[in-house]
Amino acid sequence: EAGVVQSPRYKIIEKKQPVAFWCNPISGHNTLYWYRQNLGQGPELLIRYENEEAVDDSQLPKDRFSAERLKGVDSTLKIQPAELGDSAVYLCASSLTLAAIVETDTQYFGPGTRLTVL
Amino acid sequence: SQQGEEDPQALSIQEGENATMNCSYKTSINNLQWYRQNSGRGLVHLILIRSNEREKHSGRLRVTLDTSKKSSSLLITASRAADTASYFCATERSYQLTFGKGTKLSVIP
């Protein structure tokens, strides 16, 4: 079974430029998450989707960040314009359900996109 | 914001030794999970322990949870060089996972 796919793996841009990340979750997983992981820190949730609906975007900086999950499958996360402080690894994860009803409902993470803003 | 706090921040042991990492958290939780992250790679789920459980085993992993102290520990027995990674605890509450800063484990062959 294929895991969570993310692209690109690495992205280097200059500040004020736009950037977009793409995520393809595990087939059949209804819930999709975007996290940001700063160096030396754990991941922090940006947004959570249940199918195509964003059920929790309270930690998404909406002035420059946007996300979509068309048709409840793939998702894109966009930053426009990027700032120096946005340099981080952006992780996508998916799970079968919103709650870990059974252990197999836990989140599966992609390899991430490492963003460097110069 | 980070809820979980792992201790120690870094740990270096010889292959074959046991490694113990601790996690403390602040609010009530539904469950607590441990993840491993190898350098430059995504997180891999290791084990989940629910708030009504006290101990759980999976292979060489043993997790304990003390909800009265709001703390958990992860024990890796008979460590291997391949166990070298960062280990994160994550607490789940209201469908949200909150990660700690992680413990960086180095297993020396």
Side-chain angles (χ1 to χ4, degrees):
Chain A
E1 178 184 284
V4 176
V5 179
Q6 290 188 248
S7 69
R9 290 294 309 275
Y10 304 91
K11 190 73 176 178
I12 301 173
I13 60 171
E14 294 191 346
K15 62 180 181 181
K16 301 184 181 180
Q17 294 299 306
V19 64
F21 315 123
W22 175 80
C23 173
N24 178 241
I26 292 173
S27 178
H29 280 194
N30 299 319
T31 310
L32 184 146
Y33 314 77
W34 282 103
Y35 289 86
R36 177 171 57 192
Q37 185 175 20
N38 292 313
L39 190 65
Q41 304 289 316
E44 294 185 320
L45 180 70
L46 291 174
I47 189 168
R48 181 175 73 235
Y49 280 93
E50 183 69 11
N51 297 307
E52 66 274 7
E53 181 184 359
V55 296
D56 183 359
D57 63 356
S58 58
Q59 299 184 70
L60 188 73
K62 297 182 184 63
D63 56 337
R64 297 183 300 106
F65 285 66
S66 65
E68 61 182 9
R69 190 183 184 197
L70 300 175
K71 300 180 181 179
V73 182
D74 295 359
S75 177
T76 56
L77 177 69
K78 298 178 182 177
I79 308 175
Q80 182 171 12
E83 296 179 351
L84 295 176
D86 296 332
S87 295
V89 176
Y90 290 83
L91 295 165
C92 178
S94 70
S95 63
L96 193 59
T97 61
L98 194 59
I101 305 299
V102 295
E103 190 139 356
T104 50
D105 290 349
T106 54
Q107 297 182 30
Y108 295 83
F109 284 79
T113 296
R114 182 177 296 275
L115 173 67
T116 302
V117 182
L118 303 175
Chain B
S1 62
Q2 314 269 179
Q3 159 155 244
E5 288 288 336
E6 287 91 342
D7 171 60
Q9 290 187 332
L11 179 62
S12 184
I13 59 174
Q14 295 289 328
E15 198 166 30
E17 293 180 340
N18 296 340
T20 300
M21 288 158 267
N22 302 297
C23 170
S24 60
Y25 57 93
K26 298 173 184 173
T27 63
S28 62
I29 60 173
N30 293 329
N31 62 66
L32 186 144
Q33 303 176 31
W34 285 90
Y35 285 79
R36 180 184 69 218
Q37 185 174 40
N38 295 94
S39 178
R41 301 183 61 180
L43 285 96
V44 174
H45 177 261
L46 295 176
I47 194 165
L48 178 154
I49 186 166
R50 301 194 184 280
S51 59
N52 61 353
E53 297 176 310
R54 292 295 168 260
E55 187 173 313
K56 201 162 183 179
H57 297 254
S58 176
R60 293 184 296 113
L61 305 180
R62 173 179 171 254
V63 171
T64 63
L65 179 65
D66 187 334
T67 53
S68 65
K69 295 181 179 178
K70 292 186 169 60
S71 67
S72 173
S73 68
L74 171 68
L75 168 68
I76 304 174
T77 59
S79 64
R80 304 166 182 169
D83 295 328
T84 295
S86 290
Y87 291 81
F88 295 89
C89 71
T91 54
E92 184 187 330
R93 183 170 179 248
S94 301
Y95 309 128
Q96 182 167 333
L97 266 187
T98 304
F99 287 82
K101 294 182 179 181
T103 292
K104 186 170 287 189
L105 173 66
S106 298
V107 181
I108 303 165

